[in-house]
Amino acid sequence: MDRPWTVALMFTLLWMQVNCTTGTTSKLCFPSSFMFGVATASYQIEGAWNVSGKGENIWDRYTHTRPERIFDHGTGDVAADSYHQFRQDVRLLKELGVRFYRFSMSWSRILPTGLTNEVNPDGIRYYKELIEELHKNGIEPLVTMYHWDLPQSLQDLGGWTNPVIADYFVDYAKVLLDNFGDRVKFWLTFNEPLSFCHDGYGGSDAPGDRATGMEDYLCGHTVLRAHAAVYRMFQRDYNHRITDLMGITLDMAWIEPASTSAEDKEAAEITRQFFFGWFPHPIFSKQGDYPPVMRKRIDEMSKRQNFTRSRLPHFTKEEVKMLRGACDFLGLNHYTTYLAKRVQRPLSPIPSFDDDMGVQLSQKADWPKSNSTWLKVVPWGLRKTLNWIKGTYGNPPVFITENGISLEPGLRDPRRINYIDGYLRALHAALTKDKCNVYGYTYWSLIDNFEWTRGYSERFGLYEVDYSSKQRVRTARQSAEYYSSVATTKCLPDKVSGYKL
Ligand code: NOJ
């Protein structure tokens, strides 16, 4: 960040609200400038996968050709039909009383071929109308440029493993900034590169069937180069108002050592660097390379596997310069916590991210469950995560861009209320006691949606979506009322959370 204090001041001034919520009450309240919002993503809610000129993306292709990879064989063809129902969605946002709405733009809806030879007027119209509707209702858009739905035509060229995709991403970003830059102040280049590089190019998310320990690192490299180039272009040509900000959203689960042994403590830190440091280290550290522990382990492992060069690519001097400080704020997605244990595996000639990291992860059996196998409820992990970011990167401005829980269908969802309340108490402690620089909180998600390879089986929404109805009718859950009261009063209700902070 070249201008952290400006950013902090700007956030504070911009969002300063008249209703002071602290006063004399003993309630836990957030500063009046603190922002509450909700998030969604294009492929997960829009549907209209092939209407009005939209091109095919990698999730269209994956769900259509590999249905067995999706738990319930679902697709995003219709999803929550937000392409047609977006005015309804904005009504829900208004009802909640949130300050902002985080959503993503679909690259192939705007550029059907992935490239700028053809700009789809309907894609531009759709997002303009959505933004206009938000503004009419006093809701600020926070736009993610890329939330995993790469145009298939670009995947046919190798997707994020091909360095040229960084240039195409810059071209796409330019179209977004040219068309929406005057009405959108807050931008995120990427959502969770760890997930789409690790799970997409090294696991079973789209595009699938790629190579772990190789393509995941190539993907990460292209994404970081693309992020830096877009951030620099934004700074140079589009950052006209002091309120225009650009960040990147990264996901970090908290990693706790599985025991008090020095080995497990080390394993936990290695995991934090592999899972998280991979992306912010080149941006926030002075060295401008990948975390030293990643560099060392992958370089050494590559050598032992007889590769001539490291499987972890190097940045050029110019790229290092472009990356360093290329961020106005750090978007953080946080859901859960894992335990790390050191493992020694025999040398395998076949590369893998897991072998490079050399850690075994688990979760405690008595941590409260959600409807997703990976998501256990551990609110104190959020406080530790925020403190780790503060300590590791010098307390940068952080915006929580996702936090949420999946539960079974139904409108009574006290466990969701308890989850949000527990995590918000942990966040409040990080903010007020630990002085972590956090400016906003985003619940994932506004409505139920397509949960990638889990299809429609996992529901994160404050509003339930009835997938059997043509209109995809949305109905408020109890948690919507709870969240609305927090978003509008900035205070947590008087009740002790069931979870230890
Ligand atoms: C992270 C992703 O950004 C989002 O797409 C996903 O649905 C949620 N986490 C829940 O898994």
Side-chain angles (χ1 to χ4, degrees), residues 39-41 44 102 147-148 191-192 195 249 251 333-335 372 374-375 401-406 444-445 449-452 454 458 460:
T40 60
Q44 295 179 271
R102 174 179 176 230
H147 199 123
W148 307 2
N191 176 70
E192 296 195 359
S195 300
T249 277
D251 47 321
N333 289 358
H334 175 90
Y335 287 85
S372 311
W374 56 274
L375 203 171
T401 41
E402 282 183 35
N403 172 248
I405 185 170
S406 64
W444 179 274
S445 173
N449 55 60
F450 179 79
E451 178 60 9
W452 309 112
R454 301 299 303 167
E458 297 182 8
F460 284 84

Side-chain angles (χ1 to χ4, degrees), residues 17-317:
Q17 286 181 310
V18 276
N19 59 325
C20 177
T21 48
T22 41
T24 51
T25 167
S26 59
K27 276 186 175 177
L28 290 186
C29 292
F30 289 82
S32 56
S33 55
F34 195 84
M35 294 170 264
F36 287 96
V38 287
T40 60
S42 47
Y43 186 76
Q44 295 179 271
I45 65 160
E46 283 178 9
W49 80 279
N50 62 352
V51 308
S52 304
K54 177 182 162 292
E56 185 190 26
N57 66 44
I58 55 173
W59 278 93
D60 294 323
R61 175 70 64 91
Y62 202 52
T63 55
H64 294 156
T65 58
R66 305 297 307 267
E68 76 287 358
R69 289 279 172 97
I70 314 296
F71 180 74
D72 55 6
H73 297 190
T75 72
D77 291 3
V78 180
D81 198 30
S82 283
Y83 175 82
H84 296 108
Q85 311 296 338
F86 74 92
R87 288 183 208 281
Q88 221 199 109
D89 290 341
V90 178
R91 271 204 297 282
L92 307 183
L93 294 163
K94 180 81 178 165
E95 183 175 292
L96 283 174
V98 290
R99 289 291 289 129
F100 68 91
Y101 178 42
R102 174 179 176 230
F103 63 94
S104 75
M105 291 186 174
S106 156
W107 189 337
S108 63
R109 190 177 298 288
I110 291 178
L111 304 179
T113 65
L115 306 174
T116 44
N117 59 326
E118 192 189 329
V119 180
N120 177 18
D122 183 68
I124 304 288
R125 175 208 55 83
Y126 172 62
Y127 293 114
K128 275 201 173 147
E129 286 185 9
L130 169 59
I131 293 166
E132 194 181 296
E133 193 69 8
L134 289 170
H135 281 150
K136 266 206 267 172
N137 286 281
I139 297 156
E140 205 62 54
L142 166 57
V143 176
T144 313
M145 293 177 159
Y146 183 80
H147 199 123
W148 307 2
D149 40 3
L150 187 73
Q152 182 60 41
S153 49
L154 300 185
Q155 184 52 46
D156 295 342
L157 301 175
W160 290 106
T161 64
N162 183 343
V164 79
I165 303 300
D167 300 333
Y168 298 149
F169 182 71
V170 174
D171 298 344
Y172 162 59
K174 187 168 166 15
V175 172
L176 300 192
L177 293 167
D178 282 341
N179 280 281
F180 311 111
D182 58 339
R183 56 202 86 185
V184 173
K185 296 180 191 136
F186 303 123
W187 293 94
L188 292 159
T189 50
F190 289 99
N191 176 70
E192 296 195 359
L194 168 70
S195 300
F196 72 83
C197 289
H198 178 269
D199 301 346
Y201 289 84
S204 55
D205 275 8
D209 300 321
R210 316 302 305 185
T212 174
M214 190 64 93
E215 295 199 30
D216 31 19
Y217 301 135
L218 295 177
C219 168
H221 204 67
T222 311
V223 165
L224 278 163
R225 290 175 49 252
H227 165 79
V230 168
Y231 179 78
R232 296 303 169 201
M233 171 173 76
F234 175 71
Q235 262 194 326
R236 193 184 58 234
D237 303 331
Y238 296 94
N239 187 358
H240 304 313
R241 300 160 295 206
I242 188 175
T243 50
D244 291 337
L245 300 172
M246 183 173 277
I248 181 168
T249 277
L250 305 173
D251 47 321
M252 182 175 188
W254 177 245
I255 310 292
E256 187 74 1
S259 76
T260 52
S261 76
E263 277 197 343
D264 288 351
K265 282 186 186 154
E266 194 195 354
E269 184 57 18
I270 292 173
T271 312
R272 288 171 208 136
Q273 295 294 350
F274 267 73
F275 273 11
F276 187 70
W278 182 3
F279 296 96
H281 198 88
I283 299 174
F284 291 98
S285 74
K286 291 211 170 57
Q287 304 98 307
D289 188 21
Y290 293 108
V293 71
M294 265 186 105
R295 167 64 57 219
K296 183 165 179 287
R297 290 181 73 91
I298 303 169
D299 286 3
E300 278 175 15
M301 186 68 102
S302 305
K303 216 178 255 168
R304 289 172 62 205
Q305 289 165 326
N306 216 20
F307 291 103
T308 305
R309 61 186 80 233
S310 175
R311 289 179 278 104
L312 185 66
H314 286 271
F315 296 110
T316 63
K317 278 203 182 111

Side-chain angles (χ1 to χ4, degrees), residues 334-338 363-382 403-407 414-424 497-500:
H334 175 90
Y335 287 85
T336 197
T337 289
Y338 294 94
Q363 288 178 311
K364 273 206 176 135
D366 62 353
W367 285 344
K369 294 184 177 55
S370 68
N371 222 22
S372 311
T373 48
W374 56 274
L375 203 171
K376 303 284 184 305
V377 185
V378 194
W380 53 260
L382 173 59
N403 172 248
I405 185 170
S406 64
L407 292 172
R415 287 165 63 210
R416 180 169 285 111
I417 296 176
N418 224 12
Y419 176 96
I420 305 174
D421 194 71
Y423 277 77
L424 284 179
S497 159
Y499 303 108
K500 203 173 134 235

